[in-house]
């Protein structure tokens, strides 16, 4: 790390630290800028702003290289368009990056990112933004996500149907609201729409 910074462990240990920060960020504990800031602050007294900007630039540069749609994504989007089902993306992320990622997988609808909404999932204000864009009754919205707390419990708390995408075959936490439905592939969603 530049300007006197230092790693706190091996590459593997630092990767675990990064993964934990990103998981907290995805769960709505804080924004991505704060995740980078925490990582830098633990290793250096340097101003984290340049690191945040470098992270943003690198993330945008690497979208085409690393972002791949989940199996069935293109077919799902085609079927939903044919059925005239309104679709939006809600993400705890940085708007330019999330929009570019959506484009990379062929999604052309609205992308609502926490930095523009001013609220992170599971905050009800984030889900209110989705309802506003979709312009339909809250109980008719199927909110699909892979994070039990931020996505499923958050959407159910505001009256949406929380559909858990369990693509990895993991156990759902017993201490939070169970999903309305569980799917294992994106195409499974077509049975619910």
């Amino acid at each position: 790390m530049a300007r006197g910074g230092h790693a706190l462990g091996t590459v593997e240990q630092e990767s675990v630290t990064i993964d934990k920060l990103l998981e907290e960020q995805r769960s709505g504990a804080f924004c991505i800028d704060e995740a980078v800031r925490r990582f830098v602050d633990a290793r250096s007294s340097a101003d984290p702003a340049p690191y945040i900007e470098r992270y943003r630039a690198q993330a945008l540069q690497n979208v085409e290289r690393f972002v791949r749609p989940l199996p069935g994504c293109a077919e799902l989007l085609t079927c939903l368009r044919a059925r005239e089902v309104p679709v939006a993306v809600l993400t705890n992320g940085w708007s330019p990056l999330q929009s570019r990622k959506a484009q990379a997988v062929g999604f052309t609808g609205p992308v609502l990112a926490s930095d523009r909404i001013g609220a992170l999932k599971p905050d009800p204000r984030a889900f209110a933004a989705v309802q506003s864009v979709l312009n339909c009754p809250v109980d008719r919205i199927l909110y699909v996500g892979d994070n039990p707390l931020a996505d499923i419990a958050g959407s159910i708390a505001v009256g949406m149907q929380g559909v858990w995408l369990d693509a990895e075959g993991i156990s759902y936490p017993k201490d939070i609201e169970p999903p309305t439905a569980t799917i294992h592939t994106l195409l499974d969603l077509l049975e619910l729409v």
Side-chain angles (χ1 to χ4, degrees):
M1 195 167 249
R3 296 194 288 174
H6 60 280
L8 297 180
T10 66
V11 171
E12 292 81 17
Q13 291 166 328
E14 292 289 64
S15 292
V16 168
T17 299
I18 292 167
D19 287 345
K20 285 180 182 175
L21 284 168
L22 291 174
E23 181 61 30
E24 287 183 80
Q25 180 270 325
R26 287 185 67 238
S27 294
F30 42 77
C31 67
I32 193 66
D33 289 1
E34 180 62 21
V36 174
R37 182 174 293 107
R38 288 178 183 207
F39 185 82
V40 171
D41 285 348
R43 286 150 187 80
S44 172
S45 60
D47 176 11
Y51 294 98
I52 293 168
E53 289 308 311
R54 187 166 52 198
Y55 166 80
R56 287 179 171 210
Q58 288 176 343
L60 284 172
Q61 265 181 340
N62 287 312
V63 166
E64 287 76 21
R65 183 174 172 200
F66 291 111
V67 174
R68 298 289 177 261
L70 289 174
C73 181
E75 185 179 344
L76 173 66
L77 292 174
T78 299
C79 289
L80 293 175
R81 277 191 291 273
R83 294 179 185 183
E84 298 181 357
V85 175
V87 180
V89 170
L90 173 63
T91 175
N92 282 348
W94 174 53
S95 192
L97 175 61
Q98 300 306 322
S99 293
R100 188 168 296 174
K101 288 167 59 177
Q103 290 169 352
V105 301
F107 182 77
T108 58
V111 177
L112 308 171
S114 58
D115 67 331
R116 294 250 169 95
I117 297 169
L120 295 160
K121 298 179 292 178
D123 188 313
R125 294 174 297 167
F127 294 99
V130 170
Q131 183 187 10
S132 177
V133 166
L134 295 178
N135 194 29
C136 67
V138 70
D139 63 339
R140 303 258 341 252
I141 297 174
L142 296 176
Y143 187 88
V144 180
D146 63 355
N147 185 293
L149 181 61
D151 294 325
I152 306 310
S155 62
I156 290 173
V158 299
M160 294 178 182
Q161 298 177 53
V163 179
W164 184 39
L165 174 58
D166 178 20
E168 298 176 16
I170 60 173
S171 296
Y172 193 86
K174 293 183 188 321
D175 60 340
I176 62 173
E177 185 73 28
T180 306
T182 299
I183 59 175
H184 299 285
T185 71
L186 288 178
L187 291 177
D188 292 344
L189 183 61
L190 294 174
E191 296 174 19
L192 303 175
V193 176

